[in-house]
Amino acid sequence: MGIVIGLVVALAAMLGGFTAMGGHLAVLVQPFEYVIILGTSLGTFIIGNSAKTIKDTGKAMGEAIKNKVPKQSEYLEVLGLLHNLMREMRSKSRSEVEAHIDDPKESTIFQAYPNIIKNTAMLNFICDYARLIIIGNARPHEIEALMEEEIQTIHHDLLKAKHALQDVTDGLPAIGIVAAVLGVIKAMGALDQPPEVLGHLIGAALVGTFAGIFFSYGVFGPIAAKIKYVREKQVRVFVIVKSTLIAYMNGAMPQVALEYGRKVISAADRPTIDQVENETIGGGSGA
């Protein structure tokens, strides 16, 4: 919603100011200039990225528009699951715990947190490191290093969409100039026409430069920045898991280990200790 409101405000200010100066909005209606700019940008985007990145960029733009960042309830679900899992690891045998992490979708522990089951990347991350912990051969600092390496990989993969869109953003002003040059070429072929006609053609050509810059800094640039914000928030959940499990490996009680994870959450979204206790005692929201 923030992106939509921002675009409305930007367009209202820009077009309103242009009209107030005595400009005519009809001059800006140059569909073929927009076809050249956006079509060329789309083509270069397809050339420079894999099919997977192209698809993920569409998904990332949707997440940015919806501001799909983790909410406090999602943080509580992750902490609740980790608490129950750590209690099992602390009190049950290795074979009993393995039954949960080998088939989490059938596990009574994981079934209490359906949103995590739907998040395949998070589910695999938790199960993989829980498995390494119960094996018992790895040292905490080794697991932590491995977790950090994987989180960096996840972070890199999630930001591919941002970088792909940023490349489009960076190229749009130049493509706008290309569209303007083509418009000027067209105008040069009409030098024998009256000044009004020639002026209209030159004005239409300059719309290309305007459109390229506006689409770059007014549309795709801000969306790329929002994608980065949303995706980095999503990565933060993996850091919470890492901090909690490493604290547990270093000897912290499950409830104390949760504090290590809770403190990683930004202050604006961080649940209180009471909220975490209610979630862990309740055993999941079941939502």
Side-chain angles (χ1 to χ4, degrees), residues 190-255:
L191 288 177
D192 58 338
Q193 298 296 316
E196 319 71 80
V197 175
L198 191 59
H200 176 78
L201 291 173
I202 293 174
L206 292 176
V207 169
T209 302
F210 148 74
I213 294 173
F214 174 72
F215 283 131
S216 176
Y217 297 107
V219 180
F220 293 107
I223 292 175
K226 190 62 178 287
I227 287 174
K228 180 181 180 182
Y229 167 77
V230 170
R231 288 289 174 90
E232 286 187 338
K233 280 278 191 177
Q234 293 172 358
V235 171
R236 203 66 190 162
V237 183
F238 292 90
V239 180
I240 294 169
V241 175
K242 183 202 80 171
S243 298
T244 302
L245 291 180
I246 293 302
Y248 173 76
M249 288 191 72
N250 282 319
M253 297 284 289
Q255 200 64 39

Side-chain angles (χ1 to χ4, degrees), residues 93-104 130-131 134-135:
S93 67
R94 172 176 168 178
S95 60
E96 290 177 299
V97 178
E98 281 182 337
H100 291 290
I101 60 179
D102 287 342
D103 192 5
R131 187 177 292 106
I134 63 174
I135 289 174

Side-chain angles (χ1 to χ4, degrees), residues 79 236 240 243-244 256-267 270-271 273 276:
L79 293 173
R236 203 66 190 162
I240 294 169
S243 298
T244 302
V256 175
L258 290 185
E259 272 299 286
Y260 285 80
R262 190 181 75 88
K263 288 297 186 181
V264 171
I265 304 170
S266 65
R270 185 186 303 148
I273 295 177
V276 174

Side-chain angles (χ1 to χ4, degrees), residues 112-249:
Y113 305 94
N115 290 328
I116 296 177
I117 291 179
K118 293 175 186 176
N119 188 340
T120 304
M122 176 57 63
L123 184 65
N124 290 338
F125 188 83
I126 292 172
C127 290
D128 287 347
Y129 288 103
R131 187 177 292 106
L132 286 175
I133 291 172
I134 63 174
I135 289 174
N137 292 330
R139 299 186 181 114
H141 71 273
E142 294 172 339
I143 298 293
E144 185 174 13
L146 185 59
M147 282 181 164
E148 288 177 353
E149 189 69 31
E150 183 170 357
I151 290 171
Q152 286 180 10
T153 301
I154 293 169
H155 182 262
H156 173 76
D157 289 342
L158 286 177
L159 288 188
K160 283 182 179 178
K162 182 268 177 184
H163 295 312
L165 195 60
Q166 187 62 52
D167 288 341
V168 172
T169 299
D170 294 340
L172 272 166
I175 294 173
I177 293 173
V178 170
V181 169
L182 291 174
V184 170
I185 292 172
K186 177 185 175 183
M188 290 299 99
L191 288 177
D192 58 338
Q193 298 296 316
E196 319 71 80
V197 175
L198 191 59
H200 176 78
L201 291 173
I202 293 174
L206 292 176
V207 169
T209 302
F210 148 74
I213 294 173
F214 174 72
F215 283 131
S216 176
Y217 297 107
V219 180
F220 293 107
I223 292 175
K226 190 62 178 287
I227 287 174
K228 180 181 180 182
Y229 167 77
V230 170
R231 288 289 174 90
E232 286 187 338
K233 280 278 191 177
Q234 293 172 358
V235 171
R236 203 66 190 162
V237 183
F238 292 90
V239 180
I240 294 169
V241 175
K242 183 202 80 171
S243 298
T244 302
L245 291 180
I246 293 302
Y248 173 76
M249 288 191 72

